[in-house]
Amino acid sequence: MKKEPFVTNEQLQEIVKQYPTPFHLYDEKGIRENAQALKEAFSWNQGFKEYFAVKATPNPFLINILKEYGCGCDCSSMTELMIADALKFSGSDVMFSSNATPAEEYKFAYDMGAIINLDDFTHIDFLEKTIGCIPETISCRYNPGGLFKISNSIMDNPSDAKYGFTTEQMFEGFQVLKEKGAKYFGIHAFLASNTITNDYYPTLAKTLFEMAVELKEKTGADIRFINLSGGIGIPYRPDEEPNDIRVIGERVRKVYEEVLVPAGMGDVAIYTELGRFMMGPYGCLVTTAIHEKHTHKEYIGCDACAVNLMRPAMYGAYHHITVMGKDNSVCDHKYDITGSLCENNDKFAIDRMLPKIDRGDLLVLHDTGAHGFSMGYNYNGKLKSAEILLREDGSAQLIRRAETPEDYFATFDCFDILKDRKKI
Ligand SMILES: *Cc1c(COP(=O)(O)O)cnc(C)c1O
């Protein structure tokens, strides 16, 4: 499928007059339509709730859009909990799915009334010592080990993942939690990331639903929700088929009716913690080609770098690139598209066939709406970019300003770098 940017060249030329590149741009219309589609796909389940994985795109403006569709927040750290709190998500609107969790974060989550999703058996004691009790509602993260397969293809390797309770620990954990006063239980698992198949959720659901039936039988636990977590992927490459959320929802329903309903568990709520699926396609990184270099290879140097989008450097991830205004030109030039870090892996694309790029061309890197800006860092003293929302009416709204040197130096309390310098 041809990948087209959600913004036109004319719109973008207007936006860059006001906001200099690089920046991340988000598509309000796309975010809304997708959130609505997810809600409809699971509307068969009374208690269904999507807890947006805040780490994917921790921007209050964007999270507030999702809130209109009934989404909660899935948080993994203190500052993410603070964002949820500031946006007035309360109690069971917040899921706290963390690991190697510091005591003060458990305390903060408990005080907010968030649902705590324990990552490990030993955290039962740790949590009890930290907050002085076990909450009425508690969730445990499951890791079955082995390889996670769909039919014959290996999706991921849970036995190599640091997360979750083993099968034995789930049974013992539910028993212990019950004895310590927990009343309502949830089960969570995240077994494969960025899956581009409609089979992932239904396969995971079967594992978790069967586990839930057995846990209920053996421990008498009152299981209220099953959290299928994140992992639904997006087509980063033009040749990948997008997932169909309606098909996924229907197939999870089928497993629900086969496994949970006959066990008298037809009132269990389904939760999700999607990040990438909610935002990934609805964000892009806009950068300007500022240099061209002809040596052993052909390079285009951009004003964005891995600080703005780490996935290619970190995972070798593919992000599609559109050269704005050259949509109909032939891709007859082979380029490495690079940033300016003193790191040879600071390349957004290697040996990519693209139209001829000239200095000043705007490049759109697709699908940066999740795990894009948020993974950023400050290597080489590079500053983080702005985030801009393309509203449904076509206007552009600044939803996070770009970092300034003042921001970067702000933590040197005892050394004022900007003292003798006029502000930049
Ligand atoms: C990262 C994460 C998610 C979101 O994952 P996506 O791949 O973005 O859907 C959900 N839950 C937990 C616990 C996570 O760590």
Side-chain angles (χ1 to χ4, degrees), residues 53 55 74 97 141 188 190 193 229-231 273-276 371:
K55 73 164 194 261
D74 167 41
S97 293
R141 181 169 185 165
H188 169 284
F190 189 162
S193 195
S229 187
E273 291 174 345
L274 297 166
R276 194 186 315 269
H371 313 295

mmCIF file of all heavy atoms in Angstrom, residues 53 55 74 97 141 188 190 193 229-231 273-276 371, ligand 1:
data_model
loop_
_atom_site.group_PDB
_atom_site.id
_atom_site.type_symbol
_atom_site.label_atom_id
_atom_site.label_comp_id
_atom_site.label_asym_id
_atom_site.label_seq_id
_atom_site.Cartn_x
_atom_site.Cartn_y
_atom_site.Cartn_z
ATOM 1 N N ALA A 53 -1.022 3.519 26.858
ATOM 2 C CA ALA A 53 0.346 3.399 27.407
ATOM 3 C C ALA A 53 1.045 4.756 27.288
ATOM 4 O O ALA A 53 1.544 5.124 26.226
ATOM 5 C CB ALA A 53 1.114 2.318 26.649
ATOM 6 N N LYS A 55 3.774 5.967 28.132
ATOM 7 C CA LYS A 55 5.177 6.048 27.710
ATOM 8 C C LYS A 55 5.312 6.209 26.189
ATOM 9 O O LYS A 55 6.304 6.744 25.714
ATOM 10 C CB LYS A 55 5.960 4.818 28.176
ATOM 11 C CG LYS A 55 5.649 3.537 27.420
ATOM 12 C CD LYS A 55 6.728 2.466 27.655
ATOM 13 C CE LYS A 55 6.606 1.345 26.674
ATOM 14 N NZ LYS A 55 5.925 0.154 27.178
ATOM 15 N N ASP A 74 -2.264 4.007 31.169
ATOM 16 C CA ASP A 74 -1.374 2.971 31.698
ATOM 17 C C ASP A 74 -0.036 3.634 31.965
ATOM 18 O O ASP A 74 0.616 4.121 31.042
ATOM 19 C CB ASP A 74 -1.227 1.840 30.673
ATOM 20 C CG ASP A 74 -0.091 0.899 31.031
ATOM 21 O OD1 ASP A 74 0.042 0.585 32.229
ATOM 22 O OD2 ASP A 74 0.654 0.484 30.129
ATOM 23 N N SER A 97 1.408 -0.311 35.516
ATOM 24 C CA SER A 97 2.119 -1.524 35.076
ATOM 25 C C SER A 97 3.598 -1.195 34.992
ATOM 26 O O SER A 97 4.070 -0.710 33.973
ATOM 27 C CB SER A 97 1.632 -1.963 33.692
ATOM 28 O OG SER A 97 0.308 -2.395 33.728
ATOM 29 N N ARG A 141 1.004 -9.727 36.563
ATOM 30 C CA ARG A 141 1.484 -9.874 35.191
ATOM 31 C C ARG A 141 2.032 -11.278 34.996
ATOM 32 O O ARG A 141 2.872 -11.739 35.766
ATOM 33 C CB ARG A 141 2.572 -8.826 34.945
ATOM 34 C CG ARG A 141 3.142 -8.868 33.548
ATOM 35 C CD ARG A 141 4.002 -7.648 33.267
ATOM 36 N NE ARG A 141 4.432 -7.649 31.882
ATOM 37 C CZ ARG A 141 4.936 -6.596 31.255
ATOM 38 N NH1 ARG A 141 5.085 -5.455 31.897
ATOM 39 N NH2 ARG A 141 5.301 -6.664 30.001
ATOM 40 N N HIS A 188 -2.733 -9.957 33.628
ATOM 41 C CA HIS A 188 -2.131 -9.145 32.572
ATOM 42 C C HIS A 188 -1.017 -9.950 31.903
ATOM 43 O O HIS A 188 -0.330 -10.723 32.571
ATOM 44 C CB HIS A 188 -1.547 -7.876 33.221
ATOM 45 C CG HIS A 188 -0.668 -7.037 32.338
ATOM 46 N ND1 HIS A 188 0.640 -7.380 32.029
ATOM 47 C CD2 HIS A 188 -0.880 -5.853 31.725
ATOM 48 C CE1 HIS A 188 1.169 -6.435 31.258
ATOM 49 N NE2 HIS A 188 0.280 -5.504 31.055
ATOM 50 N N PHE A 190 1.908 -9.412 28.380
ATOM 51 C CA PHE A 190 2.380 -8.731 27.165
ATOM 52 C C PHE A 190 3.446 -9.652 26.582
ATOM 53 O O PHE A 190 4.552 -9.682 27.066
ATOM 54 C CB PHE A 190 2.963 -7.371 27.556
ATOM 55 C CG PHE A 190 3.294 -6.458 26.389
ATOM 56 C CD1 PHE A 190 3.476 -5.097 26.610
ATOM 57 C CD2 PHE A 190 3.427 -6.929 25.102
ATOM 58 C CE1 PHE A 190 3.783 -4.233 25.567
ATOM 59 C CE2 PHE A 190 3.729 -6.076 24.057
ATOM 60 C CZ PHE A 190 3.910 -4.725 24.287
ATOM 61 N N SER A 193 5.603 -7.867 20.811
ATOM 62 C CA SER A 193 5.520 -6.440 20.523
ATOM 63 C C SER A 193 5.343 -6.193 19.025
ATOM 64 O O SER A 193 5.846 -6.958 18.202
ATOM 65 C CB SER A 193 6.818 -5.803 21.001
ATOM 66 O OG SER A 193 6.664 -4.421 21.076
ATOM 67 N N SER A 229 -3.103 -5.954 27.387
ATOM 68 C CA SER A 229 -1.928 -5.077 27.315
ATOM 69 C C SER A 229 -1.695 -4.506 25.905
ATOM 70 O O SER A 229 -2.640 -4.321 25.146
ATOM 71 C CB SER A 229 -0.712 -5.835 27.838
ATOM 72 O OG SER A 229 0.393 -4.977 27.928
ATOM 73 N N GLY A 230 -0.429 -4.241 25.585
ATOM 74 C CA GLY A 230 -0.105 -3.629 24.285
ATOM 75 C C GLY A 230 0.260 -4.688 23.263
ATOM 76 O O GLY A 230 -0.104 -5.853 23.402
ATOM 77 N N GLY A 231 0.961 -4.279 22.230
ATOM 78 C CA GLY A 231 1.504 -5.271 21.313
ATOM 79 C C GLY A 231 0.868 -5.317 19.938
ATOM 80 O O GLY A 231 1.419 -5.933 19.029
ATOM 81 N N GLU A 273 -3.888 -2.089 26.844
ATOM 82 C CA GLU A 273 -2.915 -1.014 27.168
ATOM 83 C C GLU A 273 -2.156 -0.674 25.900
ATOM 84 O O GLU A 273 -0.933 -0.748 25.858
ATOM 85 C CB GLU A 273 -1.888 -1.502 28.199
ATOM 86 C CG GLU A 273 -2.395 -1.759 29.584
ATOM 87 C CD GLU A 273 -1.310 -2.373 30.479
ATOM 88 O OE1 GLU A 273 -0.278 -2.861 29.962
ATOM 89 O OE2 GLU A 273 -1.491 -2.357 31.696
ATOM 90 N N LEU A 274 -2.889 -0.327 24.854
ATOM 91 C CA LEU A 274 -2.223 -0.091 23.576
ATOM 92 C C LEU A 274 -1.523 1.264 23.571
ATOM 93 O O LEU A 274 -2.053 2.255 24.078
ATOM 94 C CB LEU A 274 -3.244 -0.179 22.454
ATOM 95 C CG LEU A 274 -3.889 -1.563 22.333
ATOM 96 C CD1 LEU A 274 -5.118 -1.518 21.451
ATOM 97 C CD2 LEU A 274 -2.876 -2.568 21.796
ATOM 98 N N GLY A 275 -0.350 1.289 22.984
ATOM 99 C CA GLY A 275 0.388 2.533 22.807
ATOM 100 C C GLY A 275 0.577 2.792 21.323
ATOM 101 O O GLY A 275 -0.019 3.687 20.721
ATOM 102 N N ARG A 276 1.380 1.930 20.705
ATOM 103 C CA ARG A 276 1.725 2.075 19.289
ATOM 104 C C ARG A 276 0.487 2.144 18.407
ATOM 105 O O ARG A 276 0.381 2.993 17.530
ATOM 106 C CB ARG A 276 2.594 0.880 18.877
ATOM 107 C CG ARG A 276 3.303 1.024 17.550
ATOM 108 C CD ARG A 276 4.020 -0.271 17.167
ATOM 109 N NE ARG A 276 4.747 -0.850 18.275
ATOM 110 C CZ ARG A 276 6.017 -0.588 18.560
ATOM 111 N NH1 ARG A 276 6.710 0.218 17.808
ATOM 112 N NH2 ARG A 276 6.607 -1.157 19.604
ATOM 113 N N HIS A 371 6.378 5.976 20.707
ATOM 114 C CA HIS A 371 7.776 5.605 20.948
ATOM 115 C C HIS A 371 8.706 6.410 20.025
ATOM 116 O O HIS A 371 9.719 5.914 19.563
ATOM 117 C CB HIS A 371 7.992 4.095 20.768
ATOM 118 C CG HIS A 371 6.955 3.258 21.467
ATOM 119 N ND1 HIS A 371 6.817 3.229 22.831
ATOM 120 C CD2 HIS A 371 5.963 2.451 20.989
ATOM 121 C CE1 HIS A 371 5.806 2.436 23.163
ATOM 122 N NE2 HIS A 371 5.260 1.956 22.064
HETATM 123 C C1 LIG B 1 5.095 -0.483 26.371
HETATM 124 C C2 LIG B 1 3.942 -1.086 27.061
HETATM 125 C C3 LIG B 1 2.669 -1.041 26.510
HETATM 126 C C4 LIG B 1 2.391 -0.470 25.139
HETATM 127 O O1 LIG B 1 2.992 -1.218 24.162
HETATM 128 P P1 LIG B 1 2.712 -0.942 22.594
HETATM 129 O O2 LIG B 1 3.654 -1.844 21.909
HETATM 130 O O3 LIG B 1 3.022 0.494 22.383
HETATM 131 O O4 LIG B 1 1.291 -1.260 22.348
HETATM 132 C C5 LIG B 1 1.626 -1.577 27.245
HETATM 133 N N1 LIG B 1 1.821 -2.114 28.471
HETATM 134 C C6 LIG B 1 3.031 -2.171 29.040
HETATM 135 C C7 LIG B 1 3.164 -2.765 30.383
HETATM 136 C C8 LIG B 1 4.130 -1.675 28.361
HETATM 137 O O5 LIG B 1 5.338 -1.759 28.918
#
